[in-house]
Amino acid sequence: GEDVEQSLFLSVREGDSSVINCTYTDSSSTYLYWYKQEPGAGLQLLTYIFSNMDMKQDQRLTVLLNKKDKHLSLRIADTQTGDSAIYFCAERGAYSGAGSYQLTFGKGTKLSVIP
Amino acid sequence: EADIYQTPRYLVIGTGKKITLECSQTMGHDKMYWYQQDPGMELHLIHYSYGVNSTEKGDLSSESTVSRIRTEHFPLTLESARPSHTSQYLCASSESELAGLLRTDTQYFGPGTRLTVL
């Protein structure tokens, strides 16, 4: 079965880089996602990476994928207080029919940014 | 930018009441989902739909029911609310999007409904 693991908490100082790590078990995963959830809100898609890529960069965000170790990371450069949120890693997992795939989510990493 | 809406955003209700949580999206997505998010942050899929007149149960057993009469609308109903139903409920929708040679199935989420049953 699929399983996605994340550490639950991360605390960084404003201006430092944050690195949020995730491991997954389904080696056939083709897409891996990072979502951000601010307090009281839904999940906001930050970025996704296709499994044939090692890295994807989008402004302050860098996603690194190590397929051999099934390890995904999200690096946030110059972390700001507005980055404080819960970050979810998700893998596209089992085919659920009718052209649809389910997502398997990690439990989320709560990032706290210290001013 | 996703256009997916949930109402109400917050609901406090007594035990035994019937409630319906609304979810609608204006993107024409075929697939829609309901997740329950517990206080420990973990997301659990409770229902999903491939399209009109299609509904499926998710990984987590739920006493709620859903319907999909229109593409844009996917309401979730609890016939008799109990304190154990207190949770955050998140609705999402997706459509296969071409990314290179393959299609993703990126899910876009609504803002959520925080339900408290007293």
Side-chain angles (χ1 to χ4, degrees):
Chain A
E2 300 129 9
D3 198 17
V4 177
E5 299 282 342
Q6 299 178 241
S7 52
L8 294 183
F9 301 98
L10 176 66
S11 184
V12 299
R13 292 203 174 276
E14 189 173 19
D16 289 349
S17 292
S18 309
V19 179
I20 303 170
N21 294 301
C22 169
T23 57
Y24 60 97
T25 57
D26 187 353
S27 57
S28 65
S29 292
T30 49
Y31 286 97
L32 294 133
Y33 303 83
W34 283 105
Y35 284 86
K36 175 183 179 183
Q37 185 180 33
E38 295 182 359
L43 274 66
Q44 173 196 352
L45 177 69
L46 285 178
T47 187
Y48 63 85
I49 188 167
F50 181 50
S51 59
N52 72 348
M53 299 168 67
D54 297 324
M55 186 181 87
K56 182 178 181 182
Q57 189 153 1
D58 183 3
Q59 297 181 339
R60 291 191 297 123
L61 305 179
T62 304
V63 178
L64 295 177
L65 176 60
N66 181 330
K67 273 198 75 175
K68 175 174 166 289
D69 295 336
K70 299 194 192 80
H71 183 264
L72 182 74
S73 68
L74 173 70
R75 179 176 180 271
I76 306 172
D78 187 24
T79 312
Q80 303 297 306
T81 54
D83 295 323
S84 293
I86 301 170
Y87 292 81
F88 289 90
C89 168
E91 64 170 345
R92 191 179 86 162
Y95 181 66
S96 52
S100 182
Y101 294 83
Q102 291 191 22
L103 291 187
T104 300
F105 286 86
K107 293 185 179 183
T109 299
K110 185 173 183 178
L111 174 65
S112 299
V113 182
I114 305 162
Chain B
E1 192 68 26
D3 294 315
I4 179 164
Y5 308 97
Q6 290 185 242
T7 57
R9 291 293 314 278
Y10 303 92
L11 179 62
V12 180
I13 201 160
T15 297
K17 301 289 185 186
K18 177 181 178 179
I19 58 168
T20 296
L21 308 185
E22 302 288 350
C23 176
S24 57
Q25 49 96 5
T26 58
M27 297 170 285
H29 287 173
D30 284 334
K31 305 174 192 75
M32 295 188 75
Y33 313 81
W34 276 104
Y35 291 87
Q36 186 173 337
Q37 185 175 27
D38 60 26
M41 304 182 298
E42 192 170 1
L43 285 155
H44 301 284
L45 180 67
I46 51 174
H47 299 283
Y48 60 99
S49 166
Y50 300 132
V52 171
N53 294 326
S54 146
T55 60
E56 304 286 341
K57 289 193 178 296
D59 304 323
L60 182 69
S61 174
S62 173
E63 292 163 348
S64 58
T65 59
V66 291
S67 62
R68 190 88 184 278
I69 299 169
R70 303 198 317 264
T71 298
E72 61 272 18
H73 198 214
F74 190 39
L76 180 144
T77 298
L78 277 164
E79 289 293 331
S80 179
R82 293 207 305 271
S84 61
H85 297 139
T86 294
S87 191
Q88 168 97 328
Y89 291 84
L90 294 169
C91 179
S93 70
S94 73
E95 190 61 78
S96 290
E97 298 166 338
L98 196 59
L101 297 177
L102 285 184
R103 292 190 171 273
T104 72
D105 210 1
T106 303
Q107 293 185 21
Y108 297 94
F109 283 79
T113 294
R114 177 156 297 282
L115 172 66
T116 303
V117 185
L118 303 174

